[in-house]
Amino acid sequence: MDFQLTDDQRALRTGVRELLERCFPRTRLRAMVDMADGDGAERGAGLDRALWRGLGAAGLFALRVPESAGGVGLGLPEAVLAFEEAGRALLPGPLVATELTAGLSVPGALAAGEWAADAVRGEAVVTALDEGDALDERDAPVKEDALVEHLASADAVLVLGPTAVEVIAAEAVARSAEPIRSVDPATPLHRTAPYRTARCRTAQRRTAPERARPPVVPPGASEALGLAARLRREAALLTAAQQLGSACRTVELAVDHAKRRTQFGRPIGAFQAVQHLCAQMLVRAESARSVVYAAAVTEDPGDIAAAKLLADEAAVRNARDCLQVHGGMGFTWEADVHLHLKRAWVRAGQWQSAAAAEEELAAGLLSTVETCL
């Protein structure tokens, strides 16, 4: 199996990087961070709608939508490359949820209404609420609350239940949500009460009175079963791709600073301790890259769990080491290093945590052992 990028894939990655350098340069990132320099839950600027529409017009959310449906007609490996560049640029917003919802615009995939078509064009901002994949004895989700990013700026919410998927108006989720303090100034968070997807509401109706909360979009039929699990896997992989991009970017920042910053008349990169830090960062980033790219091709749940685990580790530890290479400057608000670290912390808790990924890998290993016995 050849995991080398094709000429078209390299051209796509270069094109996305150039696009983001034009539409979301560092000055725009810094302006957003400075504007969000407030206190607690109010931190986090509103999403830039012009930027969002520009990303939609460029086809970022339509990469995997077939050409017959107005999309680009590419696959998951190409989406991973694009999201890696988004992570490298610290592009804010619910990118993963909007991309997943745009994929629901394919005829026959799911009745996602106008939200999916608007998500393809970047006209709608769609965030996500994951109710978890576990059910209790009443066939209701076990998860009691969840974090939702950019809820105040969103038009719709992609709700993933254990066995059903819905796209609902953001107001329906916002009624029971409360803002919480976010460590990342560009990623505002809300904590929500459970929404419960339609299938779970049906199960609950047999045992308890249902709260009046009509869905904007019906859950569809049997094709919705299994869709939630697939969307979770894809969301974890695309989030891992963003972590990979951030990990690679912090390697560049650390090496560049080590070359320019002098101490005792020499660049600090000449000192072995700094060289080791930079080398370890590169090893983490390249190890994560190989696993993330492989998972994009195989789409195997175990491979995706390994990709999320390694990418989270690479993003967080690389950002910490990059901060150390920058010395005292790394702790200041003016440096970009802390932004990578804070975004990496937020992403590490999204979709598939380290504990969940380890459980997935352990289950796969046990299954393999039982098969061999």
Side-chain angles (χ1 to χ4, degrees), residues 8 38 56 104 108 168 216 229 254 263 295 334 345 357 362:
D8 289 342
L104 301 178
I168 63 174
V216 174
Q263 192 67 269
E334 287 74 19
W345 278 334

Side-chain angles (χ1 to χ4, degrees), residues 12 21 52 60 75 125 134-136 140 162-163 186 210 217 228-230 238 253 268 271 300 308 319 368:
L12 171 67
E21 287 174 350
W52 206 255
L60 180 65
V125 176
L135 293 169
D136 61 15
T163 55
E210 181 187 8
V217 179
R230 178 174 67 80
L238 294 177
L253 291 172
I268 61 172
F271 298 107
D300 178 78
K308 183 66 164 52
T368 302

Side-chain angles (χ1 to χ4, degrees), residues 12-80:
L12 171 67
R13 185 171 62 181
T14 302
V16 173
R17 181 173 299 188
E18 293 174 350
L19 168 70
L20 296 181
E21 287 174 350
R22 288 196 307 272
C23 69
F24 192 67
R26 181 179 182 275
T27 54
R28 201 163 182 174
L29 169 66
R30 298 304 312 188
M32 174 176 291
V33 171
D34 293 341
M35 186 170 56
D37 186 11
D39 180 50
E42 297 302 321
R43 294 177 68 174
L47 208 58
D48 187 336
R49 289 284 180 159
L51 171 64
W52 206 255
R53 293 191 186 95
L55 296 174
L60 180 65
F61 306 120
L63 287 174
R64 292 192 293 152
V65 177
E67 293 181 87
S68 58
V72 184
L74 298 176
L76 189 56
E78 287 76 19
V80 163

Side-chain angles (χ1 to χ4, degrees), residues 165-214:
V165 177
E166 293 181 74
V167 183
I168 63 174
E171 293 84 354
V173 175
R175 291 190 202 104
S176 58
E178 61 178 10
I180 65 170
R181 186 184 183 91
S182 174
V183 68
D184 179 12
T187 307
L189 296 173
H190 280 72
R191 187 184 302 279
T192 71
Y195 168 75
R196 306 308 190 214
T197 48
R199 181 180 174 82
C200 297
R201 286 199 298 274
T202 301
Q204 285 180 312
R205 192 180 299 125
R206 296 194 295 265
T207 57
E210 181 187 8
R211 288 181 291 178
R213 192 181 290 171

